[in-house]
Amino acid sequence: LILVNIVQPGIDGGGEALLQSFEEPEHQPAQRTESTFGDVLRNIIPKNIVAAAVQGNVLGLIFFSIFLGVALLQIPSKTDAAVLRQGSNAAFQAIIWMIEKAMLFAPLGFLSLIADLVGSFVLEGQLSTLGSSMTAYTFTVVIGLLLHGVGTLGCLAWCFGISPIALFRQMIPAITSAFSTASSSATLPITLDCLENRAGVPNKIGSFVAPLGATINMDGTAIYEAVAVVFIANMLGVDLSWTQQALIFITATVSAVGAAGIPGAGLVMMVLILNTVGLPAEGVKLVIVVDRVLDMLRTSVNVWGDSLGAAIIAKHEKRETTNTLG
Ligand code: ASP
């Protein structure tokens, strides 16, 4: 957030006109509501779960789902719990099937989105503005990822007595796989192999930390989402208050935890942040063009973070064991 506030990519973008074109006809400006910090905290526990689903209150839905999951583990009648679990599973499979069919039209939709965006900038003779804003945005994400991957994670490694360069070399196959597949989950077998056979992390630690990391530890995604939302706000000429920036900070972290380890998951979860700060979800089309390249880079940082986490825990456990034995 500090970086994107310094660089301010997209500050001279389309502004108000672009915002209005996004809000018509589906979203009238009157419907655009800005949540305050208190609203977001209050909405985490929804009053009405159906209303939460209709209003796109994803944090509320996540809270309810976790609570329901715990309840299913607690209720005495295991058969009743199993019925609900099987029902949810069947609904999940059916919805995945429906999404797969809808996704067949994705290339056409993607093409139309980009054509619409580029076309509107061409008509206003502002294509170069779009180009320079996108470039500034891309570089901000890349610099943010580098600062985190090399700076923060590197320092963390040093603090725990691990050489980041040596670990990086050992993890190169996993990081290159993350880069090429843009999926932490698809890279998981290679991450595990590198951790065990190249970095010497014991199986019992690697096989616990790496899958957990591939699912919830997405530092690259969180950085990307924060930069992207501020970029979208700049492009739409919306001035974000400090409260909204704090909300971005929190929701980017939470939504990165919720994002699946698959290509483009961070982009989808970004709608949650846009909703929270009252920006139109259509803003996503401003970042979709460069998303794949940034996805490759942020996934590499995600996998690098998971690997470092596993290495740190392995180191710590080793120390503990030596101390106990000593
Ligand atoms: N592709 C990322 C991953 O698998 C998630 C994201 O889209 O940010 O780690």
Side-chain angles (χ1 to χ4, degrees):
L1 275 172
I2 293 171
L3 187 69
V4 74
N5 276 291
I6 294 172
V7 181
Q8 293 288 8
I11 197 78
D12 47 5
E16 277 288 307
L18 192 61
L19 179 62
Q20 272 160 20
S21 75
F22 279 4
E23 285 175 333
E24 287 163 1
E26 309 100 276
H27 299 89
Q28 293 306 319
Q31 287 179 348
R32 214 158 58 84
T33 48
E34 277 172 20
S35 322
T36 62
F37 195 68
D39 287 341
V40 173
L41 288 186
R42 266 191 298 277
N43 286 341
I44 291 181
I45 303 180
K47 285 199 193 93
N48 179 337
I49 188 63
V50 180
V54 174
Q55 288 157 4
N57 173 7
V58 185
L59 289 182
L61 289 177
I62 294 176
F63 173 83
F64 177 80
S65 309
I66 295 174
F67 204 26
L68 181 66
V70 174
L72 286 181
L73 291 173
Q74 299 302 323
I75 55 175
S77 164
K78 293 290 169 220
T79 27
D80 289 350
V83 171
L84 193 55
R85 262 215 309 268
Q86 278 165 6
S88 313
N89 249 335
F92 174 70
Q93 304 286 352
I95 286 168
I96 290 292
W97 186 90
M98 287 159 71
I99 291 174
E100 274 173 6
K101 297 301 159 224
M103 285 308 285
L104 294 176
F105 294 94
L108 198 63
F110 186 79
L111 189 75
S112 313
L113 266 184
I114 306 299
D116 177 44
L117 177 74
V118 175
S120 62
F121 273 84
V122 169
L123 285 180
E124 282 167 25
Q126 297 241 314
L127 194 60
S128 61
T129 315
L130 180 66
S132 56
S133 304
M134 290 266 186
T135 314
Y137 157 67
T138 308
F139 276 107
T140 313
V141 176
V142 172
I143 294 170
L145 292 176
L146 271 175
L147 281 176
H148 180 69
V150 178
T152 322
L153 294 181
C155 287
L156 207 60
W158 280 114
C159 290
F160 283 89
I162 295 167
S163 157
I165 299 172
L167 183 67
F168 187 83
R169 281 217 191 105
Q170 288 153 348
M171 295 308 299
I172 280 179
I175 290 168
T176 46
S177 159
F179 184 76
S180 50
T181 59
S183 166
S184 309
S185 299
T187 304
L188 189 55
I190 307 177
T191 312
L192 280 171
D193 183 56
C194 291
L195 281 174
E196 273 177 44
N197 300 325
R198 293 170 65 111
V201 171
N203 173 280
K204 76 168 184 176
I205 293 176
S207 61
F208 175 71
V209 179
L212 192 68
T215 328
I216 63 169
N217 177 43
M218 303 223 176
D219 14 12
T221 302
I223 291 171
Y224 151 81
E225 285 179 344
V227 176
V229 172
V230 177
F231 168 68
I232 293 172
N234 281 348
M235 284 294 281
L236 299 179
V238 175
D239 211 9
L240 293 169
S241 62
W242 284 108
T243 323
Q244 283 173 308
Q245 301 244 4
L247 283 177
I248 294 178
F249 177 81
I250 296 170
T251 40
T253 310
V254 174
S255 70
V257 169
I262 53 168
L267 185 75
V268 178
M269 293 302 283
M270 205 163 66
V271 174
L272 157 71
I273 313 173
L274 292 173
N275 271 339
T276 311
V277 290
L279 291 171
E282 285 80 352
V284 162
K285 72 178 172 187
L286 291 167
V287 293
I288 216 167
V289 184
V290 282
D291 187 62
R292 183 64 189 203
V293 185
L294 296 181
D295 199 358
M296 293 158 83
L297 293 169
R298 66 183 187 252
T299 310
S300 308
V301 173
N302 289 346
V303 170
W304 169 228
D306 300 342
S307 314
L308 186 64
I312 288 175
I313 292 173
K315 185 98 183 183
H316 181 262
E317 289 289 296
K318 203 166 143 197
R319 238 184 251 158
E320 290 277 294
T321 324
T322 332
N323 284 350
T324 320
L325 291 177

